[in-house]
Amino acid sequence: MEIKLPGYFKYTVILLGLALLIYTLQQFKAVLMPLAFGLLFALLLLPLNRDLENKLRFPRPLAILASITMVILILGLIVWFLSMQLVSLTSELESISKNMQKLITKGQDFVYENFGIVPPDKSQLIQNTIGGLQELTTTFLGSTISITTGALTILTLVPIFVFLLLYYRDHLEQFMFKFVAKDRRSGVIQTIIDIQHVVQSYISGLMIVIVVVALLNSAGLLILGVKYAVFFGVFASILTIIPYIGILIGASIPALFTLATTGELLDAVLVVLVFMFVQFLEGNFITPFVVGSKVSLNPFAAILALLVGGEVWGAAGMILSIPIIAMMKVIFDVYEPLQPFGFLLADIDEVKPKRRGRMRGWLDELVNGIVRGKKNPNK
């Protein structure tokens, strides 16, 4: 016997469920966030593990350890390169501080000459700056210790979760089948395969995009003669894993550095123009060609997921937001009651081909009618 509930009661239950879900995600962040990263890496490494097990006859534990070691080595090389560049960049701090003092003096003179605002006393300004720096240093040290502790915890748990998820993947699949009737298991298997393809295509495509964008950024900055061009190019490309916001941070830092080292506003503007041009190429040509339409989310859904992810899990949530919402879209498209939400998340270009296909059919009928008329002019 089916119990019919009023609409307002259903929507109230849904809203309460969403609120409870967000509260649970925040409360158990220390466990769920590494688990989410572990799931993404496990899905990414799954094809490699299958090849090692089936083609090279590796035992499953050895195949998993080999794939995890490869990822750790690649990430370690990237971190080593960035850290070496940062150490070298610290030698520029003295010249940067002198140039910043000149820029501040020029700005104060400009404001005084054009608006009549008297600049503050330099000694008082220096004292306030020193006090602000001391407070900022204390806050920075505290946050650095907290972030380092959290990062070490994540770096420890994520490989463990990846190993366990890959090792017990058959057992987890059988566990999921316990909740599904036998006649529906084929649909569940297809849904799992679609989720794997979406996540794998997104992450692998993102890695390719990062490499291409790093090369373009570095080439543009080298042409402009910017110091540490390769470092800023690679750093900005890595930040593209945070959609929309990452490119803003990646462009502003080298622009400010160029302004501080050269003292010329035009040089900083040229740096921003380089990043804008690369972003145009990335958004209109590189990403559509590499990733294609496998992760077809509209920008509104992506930005909303980005904000919610940042509010729940911070920077890690912003990184995880796009692949998670892509997986949700796959589930929405399969489950009929949730298909309207899948339609809402879909990119508008995903709907257009159907309309173009219908228009193409009308044109074909029109052309065929004209051809038939020419063959039978009496008709």
Side-chain angles (χ1 to χ4, degrees), residues 202-252:
Y202 173 76
I203 299 179
S204 59
L206 183 61
M207 296 299 106
I208 298 174
V209 169
I210 287 175
V211 173
V212 175
V213 170
L215 294 175
L216 293 176
N217 288 338
S218 302
L221 295 179
L222 285 172
I223 293 173
L224 295 178
V226 177
K227 293 183 178 180
Y228 307 101
V230 177
F231 166 74
F232 287 123
V234 174
F235 180 72
S237 66
I238 293 174
L239 289 178
T240 56
I241 61 178
I242 304 177
Y244 307 105
I245 297 177
I247 187 62
L248 297 177
I249 301 174
S252 60

Side-chain angles (χ1 to χ4, degrees), residues 343-374:
F343 175 82
L344 181 64
L345 297 177
D347 193 1
I348 190 172
D349 293 332
E350 188 177 343
V351 183
K352 284 182 179 180
K354 297 179 181 179
R355 297 178 179 176
R356 287 198 294 265
R358 185 180 300 175
M359 181 64 71
R360 182 65 179 270
W362 292 340
L363 292 175
D364 291 341
E365 291 180 3
L366 179 61
V367 171
N368 292 332
I370 295 174
V371 172
R372 288 194 298 269
K374 289 183 178 180

Side-chain angles (χ1 to χ4, degrees), residues 44-348:
L44 179 63
L45 296 176
L46 182 59
L48 176 61
N49 276 268
R50 285 175 174 169
D51 291 338
L52 292 176
E53 294 174 20
N54 298 329
K55 296 180 180 180
L56 300 180
R57 301 299 180 182
F58 275 35
R60 178 169 292 186
L62 183 59
I64 297 172
L65 288 176
S67 59
I68 293 176
T69 303
M70 182 189 65
V71 172
I72 292 176
L73 288 176
I74 294 174
L75 295 178
L77 289 174
I78 295 174
V79 172
W80 174 81
F81 170 76
L82 294 177
S83 61
M84 291 298 101
Q85 292 292 312
L86 278 175
V87 171
S88 178
L89 191 145
T90 54
S91 62
E92 303 283 340
L93 292 179
E94 184 177 355
S95 61
I96 290 175
S97 62
K98 292 180 180 179
N99 290 331
M100 289 300 295
Q101 287 181 350
K102 294 179 182 179
L103 289 174
I104 291 173
T105 302
K106 288 182 180 180
Q108 289 177 344
D109 294 339
F110 176 79
V111 172
Y112 177 72
E113 292 175 359
N114 291 274
F115 302 100
I117 299 176
V118 180
D121 183 40
K122 290 186 177 181
S123 60
Q124 183 66 28
L125 180 62
I126 293 174
Q127 185 177 358
N128 293 336
T129 304
I130 292 175
L133 287 176
Q134 290 177 348
E135 183 179 355
L136 180 62
T137 302
T138 304
T139 305
F140 178 76
L141 288 175
S143 61
T144 300
I145 294 173
S146 176
I147 292 174
T148 303
T149 305
L152 290 175
T153 303
I154 292 175
L155 292 176
T156 304
L157 290 177
V158 169
I160 296 175
F161 284 143
V162 172
F163 182 89
L164 295 176
L165 288 171
L166 289 174
Y167 186 77
Y168 291 107
R169 60 179 184 265
D170 296 333
H171 185 69
L172 293 174
E173 183 176 337
Q174 294 298 323
F175 167 74
M176 294 178 60
F177 287 159
K178 298 293 183 181
F179 298 94
V180 182
K182 292 183 178 181
D183 56 340
R184 297 184 179 180
R185 289 182 180 179
S186 58
V188 174
I189 293 175
Q190 185 60 44
T191 303
I192 295 174
I193 293 174
D194 292 340
I195 292 176
Q196 291 177 359
H197 288 168
V198 166
V199 175
Q200 290 166 4
S201 63
Y202 173 76
I203 299 179
S204 59
L206 183 61
M207 296 299 106
I208 298 174
V209 169
I210 287 175
V211 173
V212 175
V213 170
L215 294 175
L216 293 176
N217 288 338
S218 302
L221 295 179
L222 285 172
I223 293 173
L224 295 178
V226 177
K227 293 183 178 180
Y228 307 101
V230 177
F231 166 74
F232 287 123
V234 174
F235 180 72
S237 66
I238 293 174
L239 289 178
T240 56
I241 61 178
I242 304 177
Y244 307 105
I245 297 177
I247 187 62
L248 297 177
I249 301 174
S252 60
I253 294 177
L256 292 175
F257 176 80
T258 303
L259 179 63
T261 52
T262 63
E264 297 293 335
L265 182 62
L266 179 61
D267 294 337
V269 173
L270 290 176
V271 170
V272 174
L273 290 177
V274 166
F275 281 97
M276 290 178 62
F277 178 69
V278 174
Q279 174 66 15
F280 171 78
L281 294 178
E282 184 268 330
N284 293 276
F285 300 100
I286 301 174
T287 298
F289 178 77
V290 174
V291 180
S293 60
K294 295 179 181 178
V295 186
S296 53
L297 299 173
N298 64 70
F300 176 73
I303 293 175
L304 187 60
L306 191 69
L307 295 176
V308 174
E311 184 67 24
V312 175
W313 283 351
M318 299 173 75
I319 296 172
L320 292 168
S321 60
I322 301 301
I324 287 178
I325 197 173
M327 289 189 290
M328 292 173 60
K329 181 182 178 299
V330 174
I331 298 174
F332 291 164
D333 290 338
V334 173
Y335 188 51
E336 186 174 355
L338 297 178
Q339 285 180 357
F341 295 100
F343 175 82
L344 181 64
L345 297 177
D347 193 1
I348 190 172

